[in-house]
Amino acid sequence: MINIKSAREIEIMRRAGEIAAGALKTAGEIIVPGMSTKKLDAHIRKYIESRGAFPSFFGYDPGDGRKYPANACISVNDEVIHGIPSEEKIIKDGDIVKIDVGARFNGYHGDCANTFYCGNKANMDPKKKKLIETVERGFYEGIKFASAGYRIGDISAAIQNYVESSGFSIVREYVGHGVGKDLHEKPEIPHFVEPGKGKGQRLSENMVIAVEPMVNAGSCEVKIQGDKWTVKTSDGSLSAHYEHTVLIKKGGCELLTLI
Ligand code: MF3
Ligand code: CO
């Protein structure tokens, strides 16, 4: 069964979402060429802890004995998701940097991600600009259907249609998810449709889900690297990510990680 949140739980999740969103926004603002991804990770940890919350991803075990060794995921260029911050990983002018942040406050999580450009945006390669715009717009196309009565597959189809008609591909191996006391709850929220599979479950009021399309400039294929976490595009093409924690309401939704 999908978790339906009480008014009290939603109040806590608003605060968790606000903290995650603040950490993400401020991390995006301090990116400069020459900065290590570890420095951004440290900023995120400090921001979250100073507000009485904890980084959700630290020590996270997906169920196979791995434990995530950092606070945030920071993935550069052809890295899609789950990049492990490191002192050696230096961000360069012209890089696109995906930051994914989770914050746990009073036992509940907020989860969000965005793609930032390092350098002067006026000089940005138009292909990078279009990729970053497409993942965000694809997300907003999807959440037009994030309200009570629609089905999960309505969100998935809208995202896939927008992304593919823009000339990009949508990652299939990783999907969105319910959010609450656990970072990953039911249901899964795919960002694509599997023909013949139906539209999935119906959304109802006070469900909370993370919608997080990952969009590749080339093929949708991805592969996990030797560090067992970092996911890269198989063809070396660029990738962008955009995520919010979304509260389902009657006639619409509320983004809990928007600030
Ligand atoms: N936003 C990602 C997700 O929802 C972050 C998880 S990273 C992990 O799956 F480190 F916690 F695995
Ligand atoms: Co997520």
Side-chain angles (χ1 to χ4, degrees), residues 57 82 100-101 110-113 175-179 183-184 210-212 241 243-245:
F57 304 165
H82 301 172
D100 192 342
V101 176
D111 187 7
C112 52
V175 295
H177 49 91
V179 192
L183 177 63
H184 295 140
V211 179
E212 51 176 318
H241 186 203
E243 174 180 28
H244 280 297
T245 299

Side-chain angles (χ1 to χ4, degrees), residues 225-236:
Q225 304 303 296
D227 65 12
K228 304 235 175 65
W229 285 99
T230 310
V231 175
K232 285 194 185 189
T233 59
S234 297
D235 60 6

